[in-house]
Amino acid sequence: MTVKKSRWLISLTAVALAASACGGGGSGGTKDKSFSFAITEPEHLTPGNTNDGQGLNVDEALFDRLMALDPTGKPVPQEAESLTSTDQKVWTAKIKPGLTFHNGEPVTAQSYIDAWNQAAYGPNGWGNNAYFATIDGYDDMNPSDEKAKPKADKLRGLKAIDDHTLQITLSRPFSQLPLVLSFAGTAPLPKAALSDLKGFEQKPIGNGPFMLDGAWEHNRQLKLKKFPGYKGPRPAHADGLTFKIYAGRDAAYTDLQAGKVDFDSQIPAAKVPQAKRVLAKRFLSVPSGTMDFLEFPLYDKAFTNPDLRKAISMAIDRQSIVDSVYNGAFKPVGSLLAPIVPGYRENACGQACTYNPQAAKQLFDKAGGFNGTLHLMFSNADSTYEQWMTDIANQLKQNLGIKNIVFDKVQVSDYLTKLSDHKATGPYRSNWIMDYPSAEDYLTPRCTPPIRSGYEGAACLDLIKKGNAAGDPQQAQQFYQQAEDVVLKDMPLTPLWNWRDQAGYSNHVSNVEVDPYTMPLLRLDKVTVK
């Protein structure tokens, strides 16, 4: 599986409220049984191309897929009756009969094949392309030379045995496939989408519990209503759902306080103490799969010594930064994995991620110190990035004696490109959002070329492949942990902290079930309106 470039989180800055994103938690009438959810403007809504958190929130309401995650993070059938394999390489998905898209078209095996072929075809440039990298034929659709013409435009490993039986043949064993197929980006597409993909993006036809009620009103709202023909496992309790689009998170929180929006999944850290007081039981703090890291550009000779990288890691007081910047809401970690992921070990990193300024200085001197100006690089997407980078700079000055430290603050639109092109000017902010709760999801991007840090991850990748091929989950977990150990020993990056989602809801709704394993955080189908 190749690196999923656009899944490196670029959080949106909190600016002003979108002028038209106002109004109550529904239409305001006494018979109104709709609720509202605060988001910022999505990038895409076509599942195979939807890779940003905001679009995925919407797609969770609009689309079902073969598998889903239960509240413990385990994959369970959604549109599939079953998903089976005897060798982890050839999988058979049985699709439940009677399921339809919002336009009445039946959901079939071909619906999945058409969607996955579109996403996997390299020249389309769809954001979820890499999720299909283990399927046989993917390499022919994605030549290593980006200028070369692909040898094929369809995945060789997909076959519709009949309308309700999909055979998936992988290029190599991959035990995590059921988890991958729980991701919203693997949802099927109706034939109507293939004839006009641009039009479909503006008014997608899904197969989930809610359907679009009118076209996407950019920078204003996405209005949805209950799909009356839904026959899947999660029928909507509410009559409708409006995704209110805000220009920034502060404005969304202000509306939540005023009862003008019903659910906000990203209350700004600075507002959390107030939110706890004002919302009381309606304030929710939920474990997250999102992680922050400080990553090193190993292609820069100044950072090739692992002892220098470890010294920098040991000089960072993670807890003090979390307390000052995030009001203690986030959790300092010594692992590449989030705590909610199976296989997480609280201190997998050991002493290299433990704050110890004296030992850090000794190791720093042993490594020859650092000459010149240290550049710390981050995007301008969120004000908290500069806040914690300032804390890190002060700690490195005090604990290691690095005198000259400057910030390189990059436009959010250019940040990922610079990192992918190996143009980082020094250690930089790195981040990962969990796609599915597996160690493989966190480790594969760290060890599979092209790697942003320039890390040589062959030894790590070999262990990941063994984990992928393992038939027993416990055996797979052992290989993944060994792979994590390899990365942490080499330290191309150091883990900093694990996020918590700070959310809240209005008095307008009830039966609010939050779940760290679902992208919107909220089980949208469960919500009822008072």
Side-chain angles (χ1 to χ4, degrees), residues 51-354:
N51 210 273
D52 67 295
Q54 308 308 311
L56 288 170
N57 287 340
V58 180
D59 279 355
E60 179 69 19
L62 292 174
F63 291 92
D64 281 1
R65 51 270 188 199
L66 288 173
M67 305 293 288
L69 298 177
D70 70 12
T72 69
K74 294 180 180 179
V76 293
Q78 192 172 76
E79 288 211 314
E81 282 187 335
S82 62
L83 178 66
T84 57
S85 177
T86 58
D87 60 2
Q88 314 294 325
K89 186 175 180 180
V90 179
W91 296 78
T92 300
K94 292 284 189 179
I95 301 170
K96 297 172 184 175
L99 303 176
T100 67
F101 290 97
H102 298 154
N103 63 353
E105 179 185 324
V107 176
T108 67
Q110 193 62 44
S111 307
Y112 281 93
I113 292 173
D114 290 341
W116 296 0
N117 281 335
Q118 288 290 330
Y121 187 56
N124 286 344
W126 281 20
N128 295 325
N129 171 284
Y131 287 86
F132 307 96
T134 56
I135 300 177
D136 187 32
Y138 174 87
D139 290 344
D140 287 345
M141 298 171 71
N142 297 270
S144 55
D145 182 356
E146 294 183 358
K147 297 180 181 179
K149 183 178 179 180
K151 297 178 181 178
D153 62 1
K154 291 180 176 57
L155 289 163
R156 187 166 52 245
L158 299 181
K159 183 179 180 181
I161 304 299
D162 56 45
D163 280 351
H164 297 101
T165 308
L166 172 62
Q167 185 181 81
I168 309 165
T169 302
L170 308 181
S171 55
R172 56 187 181 275
F174 184 46
S175 60
Q176 307 301 292
L177 185 68
L179 285 164
V180 175
L181 298 184
S182 71
F183 175 51
T186 65
L189 290 177
K191 289 182 171 55
L194 305 178
S195 60
D196 182 12
L197 286 168
K198 289 185 178 180
F200 183 83
E201 173 87 337
Q202 301 308 310
K203 195 174 181 180
I205 301 166
N207 58 330
F210 292 95
M211 61 187 295
L212 207 58
D213 186 10
W216 178 359
E217 299 175 57
H218 289 276
N219 298 304
R220 184 173 182 271
Q221 68 178 11
L222 281 144
K223 192 174 181 181
L224 282 60
K225 60 184 178 181
K226 180 192 294 187
F227 173 37
Y230 183 75
K231 297 179 181 178
R234 52 181 193 128
H237 286 63
D239 292 337
L241 162 59
T242 297
F243 287 98
K244 289 190 171 185
I245 301 173
Y246 293 83
R249 305 310 314 188
D250 284 342
Y253 172 64
T254 298
D255 266 11
L256 176 66
Q257 283 183 290
K260 294 181 180 180
V261 71
D262 293 316
F263 191 84
D264 183 2
S265 64
Q266 292 179 280
I267 295 175
K271 305 293 185 182
V272 167
Q274 181 194 58
K276 289 180 178 179
R277 294 193 307 271
V278 173
L279 300 176
K281 293 182 179 180
R282 291 183 288 111
F283 173 80
L284 306 166
S285 183
V286 186
S288 169
T290 301
M291 298 281 290
D292 274 345
F293 306 93
L294 185 69
E295 194 159 355
F296 301 95
L298 273 62
Y299 46 84
D300 183 335
K301 63 181 181 180
F303 301 99
T304 55
N305 190 331
D307 284 342
L308 172 66
R309 304 194 294 270
K310 291 175 184 177
I312 290 174
S313 174
M314 295 166 67
I316 298 173
D317 186 350
R318 293 158 175 79
Q319 187 64 60
S320 72
I321 296 175
V322 163
D323 289 342
S324 64
V325 178
Y326 296 111
N327 292 294
F330 290 2
K331 175 183 173 63
V333 290
S335 171
L336 299 177
L337 315 181
I340 64 172
V341 175
Y344 166 79
R345 295 167 294 166
E346 185 171 3
N347 196 23
C349 187
Q351 293 300 311
C353 296
T354 302

Side-chain angles (χ1 to χ4, degrees), residues 396-413:
L396 296 183
K397 288 177 181 179
Q398 178 179 340
N399 297 331
L400 300 181
I402 302 175
K403 296 180 179 179
N404 299 316
I405 302 179
V406 299
F407 293 156
D408 292 336
K409 188 160 56 172
V410 180
Q411 289 289 331
V412 62
S413 56

Side-chain angles (χ1 to χ4, degrees), residues 442-462:
Y442 289 78
L443 295 169
T444 294
R446 303 295 176 193
C447 306
T448 305
I451 302 173
R452 295 185 319 182
S453 66
Y455 175 54
E456 173 52 61
C460 164
L461 185 58
D462 182 60

